[in-house]
Amino acid sequence: KVPQAKFDKGTYRNIMGNNATVLGLLAASEKSGIDLYYAGYPITPASDILHGLAARQDYGVKTFQAEDEIAAICCCLGAAFTGSLAITASSGPGIALKGEALGLGIMTELPLVIVNVQRGGPSTGLPTKTEQSDLLQAMYGRNGEAPLAIVAAASPSDCFNAAFEACRIALEHMIPVMLLTDGYIANGSEPWNIPNLDNLPEIKNNLISNSEEKYLPYKRDEKTMARPWAIPGVPGLEHRVGGLEKEEDTGNVSYDSLNHQTMTDIRQAKVDAIAESIPLIQTYGDQNGSLLLVSWGGTYGSVRSAVDYARAQKMSVSHIHLKHINPFPKNLGEILLKFENVLIPELNAGQLSVILRNKFLVNSIGLNKVEGKPFTTEEIYNKILEIIGKNNA
């Protein structure tokens, strides 16, 4: 028997992940007061985002189908420079092509959201199959020390929340943000409780129209580490941009070695500062015990179902799901240390495991699947049994 689902009261519609991403981006544009600009190149399974936004000219959205992936992100940089909320979307091969221009966005500290609807790789790989194999690409896939923020959606309807959050971070912190979804949740659907736009938080931006003192384009807010966002052509706010290293505060080209160290540290500090505005991780189940499952992205549903079943069998099993991956929530390391074993199911060869071991020295156990298909609840539950059984032997 399948019991009746329990839903909160509200108005529901059926929604697919890419459509939810479109609506999340539109909502962020509305709540920030910044016009949305989208440039992209068609690629499976991300093309529906271009289709969805192209139909929303009634909301002032500007869309452009570029001749290739590189042109698309370069157009977005120009749009961000001139005061737009700039969005581009692709999948793994296209994200690779965008890498150099993405580094330019990090150097110029412009608000930009890059949606990666992950598919099987490498190269052309499996365009119609799902995977989570672009996490390390999102974290490290650029030349130089080039950190950016990373947000991951958990389900088709959560693509709305994740897209809104990615835009918030980009605008409030003046930084490129990578939004990770995948083919499974992008093309999957679920009932969605339509939110009231009035209840969504306002998104602050860093636009300035004048400066009482001499304008310094890289002088930043002490809390968010964001630099001011000046539109070109405004008298008194002239400034330089480009890919060469910037002098602190002035933004002038600088080859000074100590300045390069300072600016490298600042670009990392910009990412670290985001942790102050994201929620702490909430542990589902016991706050400490035998086994903690850590998931991210579209594996949420199958992992939570397996944990629920294990807990119904009186097993000491808990679960946390990561939506913010760079930076992590501030209490993540503290939670990981409270459990005897940590299991990380991923649709890749163990990429989140690598990152968590590097940052927290966690001896995690991986459950890795690279078949182009999502996990079943049974696969995860059987791995839980294997670990719990060893502990009780």
Side-chain angles (χ1 to χ4, degrees):
K1 288 186 177 181
V2 178
Q4 182 177 357
K6 296 179 181 179
F7 289 108
D8 296 330
K9 290 183 178 181
T11 302
Y12 285 80
R13 59 162 285 187
N14 196 47
I15 198 163
M16 298 175 71
N18 278 339
N19 292 336
T21 299
V22 167
L23 293 177
L25 297 173
L26 289 171
S29 174
E30 182 72 17
K31 300 301 288 192
S32 65
I34 304 293
D35 288 340
L36 193 153
Y37 175 90
Y38 179 95
Y41 181 79
I43 185 171
T44 302
S47 297
D48 284 339
I49 298 174
L50 170 58
H51 302 161
L53 288 172
R56 301 309 338 181
Q57 295 181 30
D58 52 335
Y59 283 92
V61 176
K62 298 179 179 67
T63 55
F64 174 61
Q65 181 173 318
E67 64 267 31
D68 57 41
E69 299 280 8
I70 301 171
I73 191 170
C74 287
C75 288
C76 286
L77 289 173
F81 180 50
T82 55
S84 294
L85 171 56
I87 314 292
T88 188
S90 189
S91 194
I95 299 297
L97 289 169
K98 295 178 190 292
E100 181 182 358
L102 185 49
L104 178 57
I106 293 168
M107 175 66 79
T108 53
E109 299 185 31
L110 289 168
L112 171 68
V113 174
I114 309 95
V115 185
N116 182 354
V117 188
Q118 299 166 97
R119 72 189 204 186
S123 186
T124 310
L126 303 170
T128 61
K129 300 295 183 182
T130 197
E131 211 163 275
Q132 287 184 297
S133 54
D134 295 347
L135 179 58
L136 292 180
Q137 180 189 40
M139 186 73 80
Y140 305 116
R142 296 160 295 283
N143 66 296
E145 296 290 339
L148 51 64
I150 302 173
V151 177
S155 68
S157 67
D158 188 54
C159 288
F160 175 90
N161 303 318
F164 188 91
E165 174 68 352
C167 293
R168 180 196 71 80
I169 292 172
L171 290 170
E172 293 186 355
H173 292 266
M174 289 293 287
I175 191 172
V177 181
M178 185 82 75
L179 170 58
L180 298 177
T181 71
D182 62 57
Y184 178 59
I185 60 176
N187 294 315
S189 64
E190 66 178 328
W192 179 49
N193 190 348
I194 302 173
N196 185 330
L197 189 65
D198 292 337
N199 295 334
L200 295 176
E202 298 293 329
I203 296 177
K204 300 177 183 178
N205 64 66
N206 291 278
L207 283 172
I208 62 169
S209 56
N210 57 69
S211 179
E212 295 180 359
E213 303 174 352
K214 180 183 178 182
Y215 175 58
L216 296 173
Y218 280 78
K219 186 175 182 180
R220 54 196 74 251
D221 183 279
E222 292 183 1
K223 182 178 179 181
T224 64
M225 298 295 289
R227 73 174 186 88
W229 192 11
I231 305 304
V234 178
L237 301 183
E238 297 88 354
H239 60 285
R240 299 184 65 166
V241 295
L244 293 173
E245 181 61 281
K246 303 284 171 269
E247 184 180 58
E248 186 181 9
D249 290 348
T250 70
N252 295 331
V253 173
S254 173
Y255 278 80
D256 180 76
S257 57
L258 293 180
N259 178 77
H260 180 53
Q261 178 73 60
T262 296
M263 294 303 292
T264 299
D265 294 342
I266 285 174
R267 286 187 283 269
Q268 181 59 54
K270 282 175 67 74
V271 175
D272 296 339
I274 297 167
E276 299 298 327
S277 66
I278 63 178
L280 298 177
I281 283 285
Q282 301 297 316
T283 305
Y284 179 77
D286 302 328
Q287 301 304 299
N288 54 67
S290 179
L291 177 61
L292 174 70
L293 277 79
V294 180
S295 60
W296 71 276
T299 61
Y300 170 81
S302 52
V303 173
R304 179 57 63 90
S305 296
V307 169
D308 279 339
Y309 191 72
R311 290 186 59 79
Q313 311 304 313
K314 307 300 181 184
M315 298 182 193
S316 176
V317 180
S318 301
H319 179 213
I320 60 173
H321 185 82
L322 299 176
K323 294 186 180 182
H324 296 88
I325 298 180
N326 199 30
F328 289 121
K330 292 196 298 183
N331 65 332
L332 177 58
E334 174 187 337
I335 290 174
L336 294 173
L337 295 175
K338 292 181 178 180
F339 292 84
E340 298 173 23
N341 298 278
V342 175
L343 172 63
I344 306 178
E346 296 184 81
L347 298 177
N348 57 44
Q351 297 187 16
L352 180 63
S353 295
V354 168
I355 296 171
L356 291 183
R357 288 186 184 195
N358 176 57
K359 188 169 182 64
F360 300 110
L361 302 179
V362 174
N363 188 24
S364 57
I365 302 166
L367 176 59
N368 305 112
K369 179 178 179 179
V370 195
E371 299 177 8
K373 300 185 295 185
F375 282 113
T376 65
T377 300
E378 184 179 21
E379 288 172 321
I380 298 171
Y381 178 69
N382 286 339
K383 187 66 176 180
I384 291 173
L385 281 181
E386 178 186 324
I387 297 170
I388 295 292
K390 287 180 178 179
N391 290 346
N392 294 333

